[in-house]
């Protein structure tokens, strides 16, 4: 998936992945992480997700990274916020209130940028990437998060032969293969969502589940 793919999705407003409310699985499971309210949360491949607004509503600071400047601009505009912008090697940092969103490549963030993230939230990020980029993503952004960082990873599972991604199906075996070296990974909920996803049914998908993992960075 080249950056152009995503820029084209944003410029043509084909952003079916964007939800107009926080993800119910986030609302259910985030409190079980028992994080301090002011913990900083890393949201990779953040789009303009309202999950960031929900996290900020709990008192968290949010560090997002997103390739699309259009997505980041829309996020702030829709909140009525005017961000301060400064550039670093990571990209263009847009800062307002509890939000710092970097217009840049998640794979290029170094450990210093991520150093004070006590938490991570991955929804529609790992599953947005094809297999080779998933390995790059795990070996860069995820590996560079600090010890004891904890959070949630939300995936989809469906017969990949029935539909082309994104979103891709990422099975539990792959999640463990990608993350187990650095992270403790526990599946905490698996839910059949096929009936809620008519788009998948229309494309011929016969089974669809979402899985929530609790993750914690090892020392
Ligand atoms: C499927 S969308 C999900 C957005 C968001 N997580 C949500 O739940 O609405 C994936 C997003 O990742 C962005 N993206 C893709 N590759 C990226 C990369 N290497 N670094 C930063 N953002 C990236 C895309 O522009 C797109 O907005």
């Amino acid at each position: 998936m080249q950056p152009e793919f995503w820029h084209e999705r944003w410029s043509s407003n084909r952003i079916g992945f964007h939800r107009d409310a926080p993800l119910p699985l986030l609302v259910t499971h985030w409190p079980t992480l028992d994080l301090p309210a002011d913990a900083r949360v890393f949201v990779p491949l953040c789009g303009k997700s309202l999950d960031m607004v929900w996290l900020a509503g709990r008192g968290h600071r949010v560090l997002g990274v997103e390739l699309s400047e259009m997505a980041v601009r829309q996020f702030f505009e829709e909140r009525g916020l005017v961000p301060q912008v400064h550039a670093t090697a990571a990209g263009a940092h847009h800062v307002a209130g509890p939000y710092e969103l970097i217009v840049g490549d998640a794979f290029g963030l170094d450990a210093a940028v991520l150093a004070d993230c006590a938490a991570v939230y991955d929804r529609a990020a790992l599953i947005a990437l094809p297999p080779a980029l998933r390995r790059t993503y795990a070996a860069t952004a995820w590996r560079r998060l600090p010890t004891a960082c904890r959070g949630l990873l939300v995936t989809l599972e469906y017969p990949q032969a029935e539909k082309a991604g994104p979103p891709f199906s990422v099975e539990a075996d792959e999640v463990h293969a990608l993350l187990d070296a650095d992270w403790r990974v526990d599946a905490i909920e698996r839910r059949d969502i096929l009936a809620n996803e008519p788009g998948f049914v229309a494309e011929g998908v016969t089974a669809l589940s979402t899985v929530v993992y609790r993750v914690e960075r090892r020392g």
Side-chain angles (χ1 to χ4, degrees):
M1 226 104 270
Q2 297 300 314
E4 295 68 39
F5 171 88
W6 294 108
H7 291 309
E8 206 281 320
R9 292 290 289 262
W10 279 99
S11 61
S12 58
N13 203 33
R14 290 190 302 120
I15 54 168
F17 50 79
H18 178 72
R19 297 174 47 91
D20 58 10
L23 191 73
L25 290 169
L26 169 68
V27 175
T28 300
H29 292 294
W30 192 263
T32 69
L33 297 172
D34 212 13
L35 287 155
D38 66 349
R40 195 178 199 205
V41 184
F42 177 49
V43 184
L45 286 69
C46 61
K48 58 171 186 173
S49 171
L50 296 185
D51 294 342
M52 296 190 282
V53 179
W54 185 85
L55 289 164
R58 288 186 62 86
H60 295 308
R61 293 169 295 132
V62 173
L63 176 67
V65 62
E66 167 55 52
L67 276 180
S68 168
E69 185 184 3
M70 185 175 289
V72 169
R73 226 185 304 120
Q74 287 180 14
F75 177 82
F76 286 106
E77 276 169 17
E78 289 168 11
R79 314 267 85 65
L81 296 171
V82 179
Q84 298 286 315
V85 183
H86 67 276
T88 71
H93 300 237
H94 291 60
V95 184
Y99 308 108
E100 177 170 354
L101 306 191
I102 302 173
V103 177
D105 182 356
F107 309 154
L109 298 183
D110 64 22
V113 174
L114 301 171
D116 73 339
C117 293
V120 58
Y121 174 65
D122 178 318
R123 182 259 165 189
L126 181 67
I127 63 166
L129 302 170
L133 286 187
R134 296 200 286 268
R135 291 191 288 276
T136 304
Y137 175 51
T140 55
W142 278 82
R143 179 154 298 153
R144 292 169 188 159
L145 282 161
T147 301
C149 181
R150 56 188 191 270
L152 299 176
L153 164 65
V154 184
T155 64
L156 290 179
E157 295 184 2
Y158 62 90
Q160 189 68 84
E162 294 178 350
K163 171 186 153 51
F168 295 93
S169 176
V170 182
E171 308 271 328
D173 284 355
E174 181 179 345
V175 170
H176 285 286
L178 290 170
L179 296 180
D180 276 1
D182 301 321
W183 295 81
R184 182 185 161 150
V185 178
D186 296 298
I188 54 175
E189 182 169 348
R190 174 180 298 270
R191 191 181 285 187
D192 179 345
I193 55 167
L194 187 63
N196 310 332
E197 296 290 346
F200 279 74
V201 176
E203 286 191 72
V205 174
T206 56
L208 177 66
S209 296
T210 188
V211 184
V212 183
Y213 298 87
R214 183 191 192 282
V215 295
E216 181 160 357
R217 185 76 163 87
R218 300 180 203 281

